[in-house]
Amino acid sequence: MKPIKIFAPAMLGAAALVLSACGGPAATPSGSAAPGGSSAAPTGGASTPAETPAATSSGWDINEQPRESLAQGGTLRLSVTEMMTNWNGAHVNGNQKDNTDMQAPLSPTYFTFDSGGKPVKNENFLVDFTDEMEGESQVITIKMNEKAVWGDGEPITADDWIATVNALNGKDPAFEAASTEGWKDLKSVEKGANDYEVKFTFTKTYPDWTAIISGGPMRAEAVADANTFNTGWTTLKNEWLSGPYKVESLTADLLTLVPNDKWWGEAPLLDKVTFKAIAADAVASAFANQEIDFLDVGPDPDGYARASATPNTVMRKAAGPNFRHFTFNSEAENLKDVKVRQAIVMGLDREVIAKSDLAGVDWEPKPLNNNIFLPSQPEYVDLGKETGIDYNVEGAKKLLDEAGWTEGADGIREKDGAKLNVKFAALTGVKASENEALQAQNMLKEIGVNLEIVATPVADFTGGNLLEPGNFDITAFSWIGTPYPLRGIDQIYGGSPDNWGSNFARLSNPELNELIPQIAVEPDVAKRNEMGQQAAKLIWESVHTLPLYQRPELVATNGKLANYGAFGLGSANWVNVGFQS
């Protein structure tokens, strides 16, 4: 991530398409997906950059229109859950989907992603690149657009890339980076022939190199030292940003963007883009009242019904690598035993949970039995079926028997005089989370687990007071994925007690820890996929997290909005977002 975190296994992971410097997955409390995420993700992890965008396909549903046919002007009104207290998207507490969404029109973008999730060179920032091997090292050399400048007109140079790498490569633990994935694999980064050429040398091979370069560098002065990186981003500073838009104003609940007068590329079509902070349970009403132009409906049947009935509205749909899940805190007293965690999995009918979450929504959910690959990908293996760790009430009871938990007079299991009580942190106002808690509570009674629902403010989730300190036994949220199915597995599933990072389950698996770095550097697609399947099985058997279902990317938009909608694995080209006349 981190309610909307940006970390998660490459797959599903957690970002929607996260084009921030940290380049990982993201987490969201409500399950709303960031632009990006599709079941058509490139397999094998490595994604070869494309020189030109792919032809229009069903990978996204964005009302794709040529910019020449669109009106000049207008205001696009969007929403977020809340404004940020740390605007550094590469920081562990700034690595959230809301932050990514708000900064997308403001940030360097070296690669965009087409409808199939293919990286496409953005010549506003990146003129050319080469990919070569020097011995065992992979070397990427980029040539930057010399016209590209920061918000105060200062040029973007190799020094910015060098400072970014130094902040994110993990060599200085004082930098509280959300992820060091990819950055830590760099042997060196140095200026090339001039200030606008940068040479990245990896220790070995790094198949997903476009992922870390796609979001561009951070300004050198913005990451000059750990204190600035960690605490210096309390406000959005135009001089630290670079994109077709800039910040006009920022209040406690409204961010307003206007065209950037320092922008050197094609002029953006819109006069303004606004992001209003609206509580999760009030967004559907805001859309129905036509206060905003875009609603990520996700698994909200009420929102779907209200949006569908709103005048001048179009419903758009795409599949993405975004999924609801339960995270198990393996350090919680009654969840330390893997047999207890497995029994809980076997006591949950996730198909019922999914259908309950999505009742009234145009999407047919199925239980997701893999943490790395999606059912629509050829590498997918149904690990519930393969391992037997799937819905099976009698099997769950047997496991609890084996773990020494015997049924008490009240039906709740006991061991050494203690009840099998487990706390579920349900996010207040997030319907999916509240529903999942109630569904799980009723189901787990049957196997003798007392699931206590703890109402938890969304602010605890977004503010780092829930996941990071481990103030939960089980909680539910959505991971937002990226176009890189095998990237960043360590971000959520790796780590150690010294630095759990985004491993909110606080669970370390030695076999997995040994496998992850091999996956990161394996250039052979088939071998890499096979190792990914091994990793997925280890994650499933240890019950690190339990996927519930692949969530739909269902969005409602103003009927005239063009080049923005359900992106799948793609990403927005912000200069082309506008309205039809």
Side-chain angles (χ1 to χ4, degrees):
M1 232 29 36
K2 301 176 187 176
I4 287 168
K5 318 251 168 197
I6 290 173
F7 12 88
M11 136 187 152
L12 315 171
L17 238 173
V18 178
L19 300 181
S20 67
C22 82
T28 166
S30 62
S32 57
S38 152
S39 56
T43 58
S47 188
T48 304
E51 292 298 318
T52 55
T56 302
S57 76
S58 59
W60 60 20
D61 184 4
I62 64 170
N63 188 21
E64 200 169 0
Q65 301 290 335
R67 61 179 279 125
E68 297 76 19
S69 70
L70 302 180
Q72 180 68 49
T75 298
L76 174 59
R77 302 164 302 168
L78 303 173
S79 69
V80 292
T81 304
E82 63 180 6
M83 293 295 122
M84 302 298 300
T85 55
N86 186 336
W87 288 92
N88 181 356
H91 186 269
V92 67
N93 288 330
N95 182 32
Q96 301 181 11
K97 176 186 170 293
D98 279 350
N99 199 355
T100 299
D101 288 351
M102 288 185 279
Q103 291 201 50
L106 305 169
S107 303
T109 304
Y110 279 46
F111 288 99
T112 59
F113 292 79
D114 66 19
S115 60
K118 203 80 165 175
V120 180
K121 182 177 65 177
N122 180 0
E123 294 195 357
N124 287 316
F125 291 96
L126 179 61
V127 175
D128 200 6
F129 62 85
T130 59
D131 181 355
E132 302 171 319
M133 293 297 296
E134 291 184 3
E136 293 186 354
S137 297
Q138 184 176 11
V139 178
I140 308 298
T141 303
I142 65 171
K143 294 183 179 180
M144 299 186 290
N145 189 335
E146 297 184 19
K147 296 179 181 179
V149 296
W150 295 108
D152 59 359
E154 288 296 308
I156 299 175
T157 70
D159 288 340
D160 297 307
W161 274 111
I162 292 168
T164 298
V165 173
N166 288 339
L168 300 179
N169 62 13
K171 292 183 179 178
D172 184 350
F175 287 86
E176 298 170 355
S179 174
T180 60
E181 170 68 19
W183 308 103
K184 68 184 178 186
D185 299 300
L186 283 164
K187 180 190 299 183
S188 65
V189 56
E190 54 194 338
K191 183 170 70 174
N194 54 45
D195 287 341
Y196 304 98
E197 184 174 287
V198 188
K199 181 179 179 181
F200 301 87
T201 302
F202 290 89
T203 53
K204 295 181 180 178
T205 55
Y206 190 68
D208 297 326
W209 64 269
T210 55
I212 64 171
I213 291 178
S214 64
M218 303 175 76
R219 187 161 183 171
E221 69 178 65
V223 295
D225 55 68
N227 185 57
T228 304
F229 181 88
N230 297 335
T231 66
W233 287 73
T234 54
T235 60
L236 266 180
K237 303 174 183 178
N238 279 316
E239 61 268 29
W240 288 1
L241 305 169
S242 177
Y245 290 89
K246 67 177 183 179
V247 177
E248 180 185 58
S249 61
L250 174 62
T251 67
D253 64 356
L254 186 68
L255 171 65
T256 302
L257 311 182
V258 294
N260 181 5
D261 55 340
K262 299 292 195 299
W263 179 248
W264 56 96
E266 283 189 300
L269 294 172
L270 298 168
D271 290 333
K272 289 186 178 182
V273 179
T274 62
F275 292 89
K276 186 176 182 179
I278 303 175
D281 56 359
V283 181
S285 294
F287 184 85
N289 293 334
Q290 299 187 313
E291 298 169 17
I292 53 177
D293 299 303
F294 179 92
L295 171 66
D296 188 338
V297 176
D300 180 5
D302 177 63
Y304 184 85
R306 298 185 69 178
S308 298
T310 302
N312 189 33
T313 293
V314 175
M315 303 298 298
R316 304 198 180 279
K317 177 169 62 175
N322 313 320
F323 66 110
R324 293 293 297 174
H325 82 285
F326 289 171
T327 284
F328 291 70
N329 182 353
S330 68
E331 292 184 346
E333 185 60 35
N334 288 338
L335 295 179
K336 292 178 179 179
D337 188 340
V338 67
K339 286 188 176 182
V340 173
R341 300 197 300 273
Q342 290 177 347
I344 289 175
V345 171
M346 296 169 75
L348 294 170
D349 189 336
R350 288 175 293 128
E351 184 168 359
V352 169
I353 293 174
K355 289 182 176 179
S356 178
D357 270 356
L358 299 176
V361 173
D362 183 19
W363 193 263
E364 182 61 32
K366 300 289 184 184
L368 176 58
N369 289 344
N370 197 301
N371 292 70
I372 303 294
F373 298 108
L374 292 167
S376 51
Q377 295 176 314
E379 297 80 16
Y380 178 81
V381 173
D382 184 331
L383 292 171
K385 182 177 181 180
E386 180 175 303
T387 64
I389 305 169
D390 203 354
Y391 181 53
N392 181 341
V393 171
E394 294 307 313
K397 292 178 179 179
K398 182 179 179 181
L399 273 179
L400 291 175
D401 289 340
E402 292 175 2
W405 291 93
T406 58
E407 188 172 331
D410 58 357
I412 303 303
R413 291 181 177 255
E414 302 173 346
K415 183 179 181 180
D416 299 330
K419 294 284 189 180
L420 185 46
N421 298 322
V422 177
K423 295 182 178 181
F424 190 110
L427 301 178
T428 304
V430 178
K431 292 182 180 179
S433 179
E434 293 175 336
N435 177 62
E436 289 155 3
L438 288 170
Q439 295 282 339
Q441 184 182 59
N442 290 331
M443 292 173 184
L444 294 179
K445 283 181 183 177
E446 190 174 353
I447 65 170
V449 175
N450 178 41
L451 192 69
E452 177 187 347
I453 297 175
V454 180
T456 305
V458 171
D460 284 357
F461 184 78
T462 58
N465 296 321
L466 176 68
L467 299 176
E468 288 81 355
N471 290 329
F472 67 97
D473 290 356
I474 300 176
T475 194
F477 56 96
S478 292
W479 279 123
I480 306 301
T482 78
Y484 302 90
L486 292 173
R487 178 177 180 264
I489 297 175
D490 66 329
Q491 197 174 355
I492 292 178
Y493 303 113
S496 67
D498 294 333
N499 181 18
W500 285 121
S502 300
N503 183 343
F504 302 126
R506 297 166 176 258
L507 181 62
S508 181
N509 185 313
E511 291 181 78
L512 182 62
N513 290 341
E514 185 177 339
L515 192 58
I516 286 172
Q518 298 176 48
I519 294 172
V521 301
E522 178 54 59
D524 184 275
V525 172
K527 288 182 180 178
R528 197 171 191 228
N529 285 334
E530 183 180 350
M531 288 190 288
Q533 290 165 348
Q534 294 173 26
K537 187 175 181 181
L538 290 169
I539 294 165
W540 188 266
E541 290 176 333
S542 66
V543 191
H544 177 285
T545 54
L546 175 65
L548 299 178
Y549 57 90
Q550 180 181 0
R551 65 173 300 284
E553 187 180 354
L554 288 171
V555 304
T557 74
N558 180 312
K560 292 186 177 182
L561 181 61
N563 299 323
Y564 197 87
F567 280 94
L569 275 179
S571 60
N573 182 344
W574 274 97
V575 298
N576 293 335
V577 176
F579 293 96
Q580 293 176 291
S581 301

